């Protein structure tokens, strides 16, 4: 898959492991093509700017899915969900990641550096990437209502 990855400075928050580089390395190990949407270091930036870059990568067809990281996963989630066609899911457990794919066909996963260990993030990411949308009639109907 082509996966756009973006974070604010929380993706580079010490102590190591630094979450954004670790998530990118994990995705590449799995054979995915990563589109790195920044940021690139620990200097303070604004999460809406990186949510915007990831969403644009999806909406222009450059990426199939997106992964966003901020302190909580909430800020990037709020920002991403302002875009028509983006269904961003802040997830703090694998079950939420699974359901966000099966029921909501979530196309962006939002992870919180300050809420999750890196190991938890990668487990959530793996579940999210390996779960398909159920294609259930009721779920399609509900997603259509999102516009
Ligand atoms: C940045 O300090 C922090 O506010 C941001 O990463 C995010 O958690 C916002 O929702």
């Amino acid at each position: 898959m082509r996966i756009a990855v973006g974070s604010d400075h929380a993706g580079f928050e010490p102590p190591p492991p630094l979450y954004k580089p670790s998530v990118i390395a994990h995705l590449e190990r799995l054979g995915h093509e990563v589109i790195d949407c920044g940021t690139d270091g620990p200097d303070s930036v604004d999460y809406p700017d990186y949510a915007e870059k990831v969403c644009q990568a999806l909406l222009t067809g450059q990426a199939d899915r997106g992964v966003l990281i901020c302190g909580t996963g909430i800020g990037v989630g709020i920002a991403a969900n302002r875009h028509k066609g983006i269904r961003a899911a802040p997830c703090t457990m694998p079950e939420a990641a699974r359901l966000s794919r099966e029921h909501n066909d979530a196309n962006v996963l939002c992870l919180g550096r300050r809420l999750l260990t890196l190991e938890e993030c990668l487990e959530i990411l793996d579940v999210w990437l390996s779960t398909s949308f159920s294609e259930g009639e009721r779920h399609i109907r509900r997603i259509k209502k999102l516009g």
Side-chain angles (χ1 to χ4, degrees), residues 8-10 13 47 70-76 114:
D8 69 1
H9 47 283
E13 199 163 81
Y47 60 80
C70 71
T72 57
I74 295 171
V76 285
R114 298 172 193 159

Side-chain angles (χ1 to χ4, degrees), residues 4-35:
V5 179
S7 80
D8 69 1
H9 47 283
F12 289 86
E13 199 163 81
L18 303 180
Y19 279 38
K20 179 169 172 266
S22 301
V23 163
I24 288 177
H26 183 74
L27 290 170
E28 288 177 340
R29 260 197 311 275
L30 293 174
H32 297 291
E33 181 190 330
V34 172
I35 299 159

Side-chain angles (χ1 to χ4, degrees), residues 65-79:
R65 300 267 192 96
V67 176
L68 280 163
I69 302 166
C70 71
T72 57
I74 295 171
V76 285
I78 291 170

Side-chain angles (χ1 to χ4, degrees), residues 11-120:
F12 289 86
E13 199 163 81
L18 303 180
Y19 279 38
K20 179 169 172 266
S22 301
V23 163
I24 288 177
H26 183 74
L27 290 170
E28 288 177 340
R29 260 197 311 275
L30 293 174
H32 297 291
E33 181 190 330
V34 172
I35 299 159
D36 188 343
C37 296
T39 190
D40 302 316
D43 293 347
S44 183
V45 292
D46 299 334
Y47 60 80
D49 298 336
Y50 297 90
E52 177 71 26
K53 288 174 199 283
V54 166
C55 290
Q56 287 309 326
L58 263 82
L59 295 171
T60 58
Q62 291 169 263
D64 306 304
R65 300 267 192 96
V67 176
L68 280 163
I69 302 166
C70 71
T72 57
I74 295 171
V76 285
I78 291 170
N81 278 318
R82 294 176 65 86
H83 296 77
K84 187 175 158 71
I86 296 295
R87 293 175 300 282
C91 293
T92 53
M93 60 180 73
E95 182 66 357
R98 184 179 70 77
L99 289 167
S100 81
R101 289 289 310 133
E102 283 186 0
H103 290 194
N104 312 111
D105 196 16
N107 50 12
V108 175
L109 175 67
C110 306
L111 297 167
R113 161 69 176 95
R114 298 172 193 159
L115 302 182
L116 299 164
T117 65
L118 178 61
E119 195 176 50
E120 288 169 334

